[in-house]
Amino acid sequence: TSLVTIDLPESITTIGAKAFNSCTALESIEIPSGVSQLQHRTFQDCSSLVNVVLPETITDLGEATFENCSSLTNINIPDAVTYLNYALFRICSSLTSIDIPVGVTSIQSLAFFGCYNLVDVTLPNTLATIQSEAFEHCTSLARIVIPNSVTTISGEGEGAPFNVCRNLKTVVNLSSLSLEAGSSDYGK
């Protein structure tokens, strides 16, 4: 579509599933302050989307909401969000850094899969779970600190959360989990 920007009314509270899916010319959007939920795949495949302003009222970002938003370089996740859904930022290949707010307890599968330029990730001390393939193919990620609050890291081998993170050289493990160093990408 040729839609470049959108002005949404302040009266809306939810943006429905796939509402702006594949709006490939969309570059910028500011979500009104009354919105508490973005349903699944709201902005999926919006390949020109660079700027998204999310209000602090959002508690649910939906599944695969920003998947394949390949021009998105950064985003502020609202403090009210408690988990990062399945494939939320999958293949956001221009995303370079992300601050995950205090209060987030779970990063679900594929949340940052294929964020090739992601260099800096800050994990909060409230994080309990990192699911399989959460950061897989984040090939620019060089360092990660696993907070002491983490009790579950799921997936192993090709399903490991940090699989094919070829530049990941430093893992600071503050959790009580026993982590095994080594490559899980089987030479791929």
Side-chain angles (χ1 to χ4, degrees):
T1 67
S2 59
L3 184 66
V4 176
T5 61
I6 303 166
D7 288 321
L8 297 172
E10 289 291 325
S11 59
I12 65 172
T13 58
T14 299
I15 298 178
K18 300 183 179 184
F20 302 105
N21 182 288
S22 297
C23 289
T24 56
L26 182 64
E27 295 176 359
S28 179
I29 187 162
E30 183 172 345
I31 308 299
S33 61
V35 174
S36 62
Q37 180 185 32
L38 300 179
Q39 293 183 347
H40 70 279
R41 304 185 191 282
T42 304
F43 297 104
Q44 183 184 41
D45 296 324
C46 291
S47 56
S48 298
L49 188 61
V50 174
N51 185 40
V52 178
V53 178
L54 299 172
E56 286 300 319
T57 54
I58 288 187
T59 58
D60 184 0
L61 291 172
E63 291 186 354
T65 299
F66 298 102
E67 182 177 28
N68 205 27
C69 290
S70 55
S71 297
L72 190 64
T73 57
N74 62 53
I75 190 164
N76 290 322
I77 299 170
D79 290 341
V81 171
T82 58
Y83 55 93
L84 302 183
N85 285 326
Y86 170 84
L88 181 61
F89 296 106
R90 185 173 183 252
I91 313 175
C92 287
S93 54
S94 295
L95 192 65
T96 58
S97 67
I98 192 91
D99 285 329
I100 300 170
V102 170
V104 169
T105 60
S106 177
I107 299 174
Q108 296 182 356
S109 296
L110 303 169
F112 295 98
F113 179 101
C115 292
Y116 307 114
N117 290 303
L118 187 62
V119 174
D120 186 33
V121 177
T122 302
L123 301 177
N125 283 325
T126 54
L127 186 65
T129 303
I130 302 172
Q131 291 187 357
S132 62
E133 303 169 285
F135 293 94
E136 186 168 337
H137 286 278
C138 291
T139 54
S140 297
L141 189 61
R143 182 177 192 276
I144 192 89
V145 177
I146 308 295
N148 62 1
S149 57
V150 173
T151 56
T152 305
I153 297 177
S154 62
E156 57 185 62
E158 290 188 2
F162 299 100
N163 187 38
V164 196
C165 291
R166 290 190 174 96
N167 288 312
L168 186 59
K169 305 292 184 221
T170 306
V171 177
V172 178
N173 181 21
L174 302 176
S175 77
S176 60
L177 298 174
S178 176
L179 302 180
E180 184 177 320
S183 175
S184 62
D185 65 357
Y186 305 108
K188 296 178 186 170

